[in-house]
Amino acid sequence: MEENCPTCEKPANMCVCAAISPIENRIFTLILRHPQEQDRKLGSARIATLQLKNAALKTGLSWPNLSKALGRPADQKNWGILFLGTAKTSVPLPPRVLTVVTKKGNPADGQEELLSSLEGIILLDGTWQQAKALWWRNAWMLKCRRLVLQPPHLSLYGNLRKEPRRESVSTIEAAAYTLAALENAPALVENILPPFRVLLDRARGHKK
């Protein structure tokens, strides 16, 4: 049985370590990965945290609070948690990549102020059902700012992975678009994605 690379967690013939070039990101990125997601060949959570200097990946189902998940003190109200896909709201979302929404799912007042106050973001890694399981098992997430991402492009996955929604993207793409919006640095998107592109190219090359 072929062993996975201990660093990027991919099979040897799909290892992307040579393409990893860590970049600086101001907003800390915490990825919480469902245990059943970690063995997926096309999963991007590990690659994302290798590509970002200010990031961490934790695998599990529940944590008592954000500080325990993060491994250091943190105030949940200064963190945003990302939901992939467009939210079903009674009020249309503004035409922007990232929107803070209320508990009812409507756009919150003072968007720029809320977004600029964030110290970090949380991404839930897994299938839609797995992400929902993480959400319901961690009540402290309700104290975080809820962010809705409207990706400017379709996922690079293409036909390699069936997504539940047309606007769904990979975890690393979600991190890239979110950080680019929060840090007002559009170039972050293309700086973050190269190892993911390599992974997909190799997956297509080895696909029978």
Side-chain angles (χ1 to χ4, degrees):
M1 183 177 180
E2 186 178 28
E3 293 187 1
N4 288 353
C5 170
T7 302
C8 71
E9 301 180 348
K10 301 304 176 188
N13 65 351
M14 293 178 66
C15 174
V16 298
C17 289
I20 298 292
S21 181
I23 65 169
E24 298 284 352
N25 57 300
R26 178 175 57 83
I27 305 296
F28 195 92
T29 302
L30 174 63
I31 300 177
L32 301 180
R33 181 171 62 181
H34 192 284
Q36 294 178 0
E37 175 69 9
Q38 61 182 316
D39 293 327
R40 288 180 177 268
K41 288 184 178 181
L42 295 178
S44 66
R46 177 60 177 164
I47 298 174
T49 51
L50 289 174
Q51 189 71 347
L52 298 170
K53 290 185 177 181
N54 205 18
L57 172 64
K58 301 294 177 70
T59 301
L61 287 174
S62 63
W63 297 265
N65 50 51
L66 174 58
S67 295
K68 289 293 185 181
L70 193 58
R72 60 176 171 82
D75 188 341
Q76 290 147 173
K77 73 175 184 296
N78 295 329
W79 282 65
I81 187 164
L82 192 67
F83 282 79
L84 305 186
T86 304
K88 294 181 179 179
T89 63
S90 57
V91 178
L93 293 176
R96 53 190 296 159
V97 173
L98 199 64
T99 303
V100 182
V101 297
T102 65
K103 290 182 179 179
K104 292 184 177 180
N106 296 320
D109 294 330
Q111 288 288 319
E112 298 305 326
E113 182 179 353
L114 291 174
L115 291 173
S116 64
S117 69
L118 295 180
E119 298 174 1
I121 56 171
I122 302 166
L123 285 77
L124 305 181
D125 182 64
T127 64
W128 198 253
Q129 290 300 320
Q130 290 168 350
K132 285 172 62 178
L134 289 171
W135 171 258
W136 291 115
R137 284 174 175 266
N138 295 276
W140 55 266
M141 292 180 182
L142 292 170
K143 298 179 182 179
C144 300
R145 301 289 183 186
R146 181 173 175 177
L147 308 176
V148 173
L149 175 68
Q150 298 181 90
H153 304 289
L154 295 177
S155 176
L156 294 174
Y157 273 135
N159 60 4
L160 285 175
R161 177 182 283 189
K162 185 178 180 180
E163 300 292 351
R165 301 180 181 184
R166 183 177 181 274
E167 65 273 12
S168 295
V169 294
S170 66
T171 297
I172 193 171
E173 289 171 298
Y177 290 134
T178 302
L179 290 173
L182 287 175
E183 301 189 14
N184 193 27
L188 278 178
V189 174
E190 288 306 315
N191 291 340
I192 292 171
L193 295 180
F196 184 56
R197 293 182 185 277
V198 170
L199 176 70
L200 298 184
D201 286 344
R202 292 185 177 175
R204 291 187 173 97
H206 290 98
K207 190 175 181 180
K208 295 181 180 180

